[in-house]
């Protein structure tokens, strides 16, 4: 889909740090917390039920591998994984994507974490709340190095 941000090759080239046959892992440009990453289907699909089972397995496998990377980088085994599957589930971009959040002790209260919304944190017009391209590249490269050290690449 040409107007989909997750189908845009320029965005993918800038943010992807790991991929497999059916999915890509991206640095989130508007993170809720340090390490907030996204795992997307390479096929444009708004809902999980729009994908073939093989594509769902590729996405799930990549979520697992991203967690391995973030576990090393953030020294944690705790994660919050979120899939907002469709408009009524508050999906912000109509392309299937999982949010993977590494969690550490006392990082956020439940109310703080679930109370944060993209609208509250990001001013899209002025770019406030967004990571710079340099920050995205630094994070992406760090995760890629960690992926290589774990033999995921």
């Amino acid at each position: 889909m040409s107007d989909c941000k997750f189908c845009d090759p320029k965005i993918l080239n800038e943010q992807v740090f790991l991929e497999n046959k059916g999915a890509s892992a991206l640095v989130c440009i508007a993170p809720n917390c340090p390490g907030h990453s996204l795992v997307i289907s390479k096929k444009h699909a708004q809902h999980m039920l729009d994908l073939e089972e093989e594509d769902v397995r590729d996405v799930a496998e990549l979520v697992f591998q991203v967690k391995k990377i973030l576990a090393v980088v953030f020294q944690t085994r705790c994660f919050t994984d979120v899939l907002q599957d469709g408009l009524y589930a508050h999906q912000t971009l109509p392309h299937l994507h999982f949010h993977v959040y590494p969690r550490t002790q006392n990082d956020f209260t439940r109310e703080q974490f679930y109370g944060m919304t993209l609208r509250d944190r990001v001013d899209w017009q002025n770019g406030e709340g967004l990571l710079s391209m340099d920050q995205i590249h630094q994070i992406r490269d760090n995760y890629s190095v960690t992926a290589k050290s774990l033999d995921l690449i």
Side-chain angles (χ1 to χ4, degrees):
M1 204 174 201
S2 63
D3 60 340
C4 175
K5 292 182 188 310
F6 290 152
C7 292
D8 183 339
K10 181 177 183 234
I11 290 173
L12 297 176
N13 288 336
E14 297 286 350
Q15 294 173 243
V16 170
F17 63 90
L18 188 65
E19 59 187 336
N20 62 23
K21 181 180 169 199
S24 298
L26 291 78
V27 174
C28 182
I29 64 167
N32 280 4
C33 65
H36 180 180
S37 300
L38 303 173
V39 175
I40 66 169
S41 166
K42 285 187 177 180
K43 290 185 180 171
H44 182 83
Q46 182 171 357
H47 303 280
M48 185 178 283
L49 293 174
D50 296 337
L51 294 172
E52 300 296 324
E53 285 185 38
E54 179 181 355
D55 300 315
V56 173
R57 279 192 293 274
D58 288 339
V59 170
E61 177 183 293
L62 203 58
V63 167
F64 181 69
Q65 291 177 337
V66 166
K67 289 171 100 166
K68 286 181 176 181
I69 293 167
L70 298 177
V72 170
V73 173
F74 292 94
Q75 297 295 293
T76 188
R77 296 184 59 78
C78 299
F79 295 88
T80 299
D81 304 329
V82 177
L83 170 63
Q84 295 162 298
D85 197 358
L87 178 65
Y88 304 133
H90 305 286
Q91 184 181 39
T92 54
L93 293 171
H95 186 123
L96 181 86
H97 60 286
F98 275 85
H99 296 262
V100 181
Y101 304 99
R103 302 300 301 274
T104 56
Q105 187 173 8
N106 301 320
D107 58 358
F108 298 102
T109 66
R110 182 179 182 88
E111 292 76 21
Q112 287 171 322
F113 187 81
Y114 291 105
M116 288 188 279
T117 66
L118 199 57
R119 194 174 300 111
D120 295 336
R121 294 181 299 98
V122 175
D123 179 348
W124 292 102
Q125 300 294 338
N126 298 318
E128 294 174 18
L130 300 177
L131 295 178
S132 70
M133 274 302 133
D134 286 343
Q135 290 171 310
I136 290 169
H137 293 165
Q138 183 179 14
I139 294 167
R140 178 198 63 197
D141 295 346
N142 183 30
Y143 292 173
S144 294
V145 167
T146 304
K148 286 178 186 169
S149 75
L150 294 169
D151 291 325
L152 298 176
I153 297 178

